[in-house]
Each structure stands twice: as C-alpha cells, then as structure tokens.
C-alpha cells in the first residue's frame, strides 16, 4: 500500500488491510523482458509523419485518413488521451482514430470516441500499433498526397510505409481554425495611424 494513496516521489510503502484502491495495485515487470513500448505524451499536440521520402502527414480527409504534405491544418493535428487510450483529433476532440465498422474493417477513420479496442493505439518504436498488432500503413506504399491510410499486419522492420515519426508541436502553429479549449483574443488588424 502506498501510504496515503498519494502519487508522489518518496512516498512510504506499507502493509495495510486490503481495500483494492489504486495505491494497492501494482504491475510486475520482469527485468529479462523487453521494455514496454513507449507511448505518446498525454494531451500534447502532435503530428504523425510517414517516413517514406515525401514525409507526408497523417491527415483527416472527410471521415477517412490519408497522407498529405504538411499544411498546418487542424486535420493534421492529434493528441493522445490517456483516459480512453485513444488518439483524438485535435480539431474535434469528440472523435478518435478508429478501425471502421467497429474493427471489422482495415480502413482508418475518425469516429466518436467510445474507448473500444478498435480505437486503442500505442507507439511501438517506428510503428503506431493497435491492440491486435496491426499498424498504420500507407496503402500500396504509394508516396503521394491523398493516399489512403489503413491498418495492416506489420511487414517487417524496413517497410517505410508503416514507419511513423511523432513530432510534438505548438498548437499555435495550426491554421484555418480556432484551437479548441485554448483561450484567445480577437485583435483588429487595422493600424491606428494619426
């Protein structure tokens, strides 16, 4: 039991009556096992950059995802929600990346967040992987704007159409829209000339 149930450094660990609180729940990690995959930083805006030569970004197009050259639009910006374990659209935080048809398809869409398995993704090295081991994949390995992004079985370590780089960004770089949940002022662009 972590004394007092506080999540802080240097807290005492004690023996206490069982009450099943979070401060009595532990993960056992064996030292001879590989490190767990690194996950996304919670609630920090990011873009996903495919590692083929064009370095195109995952982009929402309608309700479907494609790769597209960087345009700093809200459709290219995401955040990881640790509560639901989903990658949410920054432009519409009620929607997350999901496999269409409740996971019965390989098509990647934006869908209302419900936290189901078909919306869970983690960062595993160069791969963005779901619970079933499928990874984000630029369909047909075609490095061009508008190419569909699906989920597919991992093709090996050298398949650049499945390699993604997470780049955390300042949400102020977003154009073509107002950033949700961010305070703002409206300032005239007229110059005050005497």
């Amino acid at each position: 039991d972590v004394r007092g149930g506080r999540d802080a450094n240097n807290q005492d660990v004690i023996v206490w009556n069982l009450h099943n609180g979070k401060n009595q729940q532990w993960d056992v990690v064996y030292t001879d096992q590989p490190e767990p995959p690194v996950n996304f930083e919670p609630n920090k805006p990011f873009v996903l950059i495919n590692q083929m030569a064009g370095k195109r970004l995952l982009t929402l197009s309608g309700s479907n995802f494609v790769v597209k050259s960087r345009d700093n639009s809200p459709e290219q910006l995401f955040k990881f929600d640790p509560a639901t374990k989903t990658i949410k659209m920054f432009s519409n935080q009620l929607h997350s990346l999901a496999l269409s048809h409740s996971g019965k398809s390989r098509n990647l869409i934006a869908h209302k967040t419900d936290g189901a398995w078909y919306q869970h993704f983690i960062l595993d090295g160069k791969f963005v992987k779901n619970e079933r081991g499928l990874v984000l994949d630029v369909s047909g390995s075609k490095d061009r704007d508008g190419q569909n992004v699906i989920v597919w079985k991992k093709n090996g370590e050298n398949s650049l159409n499945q390699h993604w780089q997470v780049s955390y960004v300042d949400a102020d770089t977003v154009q073509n829209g107002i950033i949700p949940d961010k305070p703002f002022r409206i300032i005239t662009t007229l110059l005050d000339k005497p």
Side-chain angles (χ1 to χ4, degrees):
D1 183 295
V2 177
R3 181 177 293 209
R6 290 191 358 223
D7 184 15
N9 287 333
N10 299 315
Q11 285 295 108
D12 291 331
V13 176
I14 60 173
V15 176
W16 198 258
N17 293 331
L18 178 67
H19 58 73
N20 292 320
K22 288 277 188 190
N23 61 322
Q24 291 186 339
Q25 297 175 22
W26 304 86
D27 288 327
V28 175
V29 178
Y30 294 97
T31 57
D32 63 342
Q33 299 296 313
E35 288 290 317
V38 175
N39 217 332
F40 300 95
E41 291 185 37
N43 299 310
K44 191 169 180 184
F46 63 88
V47 294
L48 284 169
I49 306 167
N50 184 260
Q51 294 303 290
M52 290 190 290
K55 304 293 185 202
R56 290 174 172 80
L57 277 62
L58 183 66
T59 306
L60 181 63
S61 179
S63 66
N64 195 48
F65 285 96
V66 298
V67 286
K68 190 175 173 188
S69 298
R70 182 186 295 263
D71 62 14
N72 291 327
S73 70
E75 288 75 23
Q76 294 182 330
L77 196 58
F78 305 91
K79 74 175 195 168
F80 182 76
D81 179 11
T84 59
K85 299 178 184 170
T86 61
I87 298 173
K88 289 193 170 189
M89 299 300 307
F90 203 79
S91 61
N92 181 349
Q93 296 183 21
L94 297 176
H95 287 84
S96 296
L97 269 69
L99 302 181
S100 64
H101 303 294
S102 301
K104 296 176 186 165
S105 170
R106 293 194 181 243
N107 200 37
L108 188 66
I109 61 168
H111 188 271
K112 186 175 179 186
T113 303
D114 58 20
W117 72 267
Y118 53 84
Q119 291 183 331
H120 292 177
F121 289 90
I122 61 168
L123 183 61
D124 186 8
K126 302 172 193 172
F127 301 95
V128 178
K129 182 171 76 172
N130 76 358
E131 287 186 0
R132 307 261 167 107
L134 300 176
V135 298
L136 295 191
D137 179 297
V138 178
S139 184
S141 298
K142 292 187 171 62
D143 189 13
R144 62 181 179 207
D145 278 351
Q147 188 65 23
N148 199 35
V149 177
I150 60 174
V151 294
W152 201 257
K153 62 185 174 199
K154 200 167 157 186
N155 290 331
E157 295 300 317
N158 298 320
S159 298
L160 293 180
N161 67 311
Q162 295 181 339
H163 290 186
W164 299 86
Q165 176 188 352
V166 175
S167 179
Y168 292 96
V169 297
D170 180 356
D172 292 336
T173 62
V174 176
Q175 299 173 356
N176 306 324
I178 294 176
I179 301 167
D181 301 323
K182 185 169 177 99
F184 65 92
R185 297 182 300 183
I186 298 174
I187 301 172
T188 182
T189 56
L190 296 173
L191 297 175
D192 186 30
K193 293 184 180 179

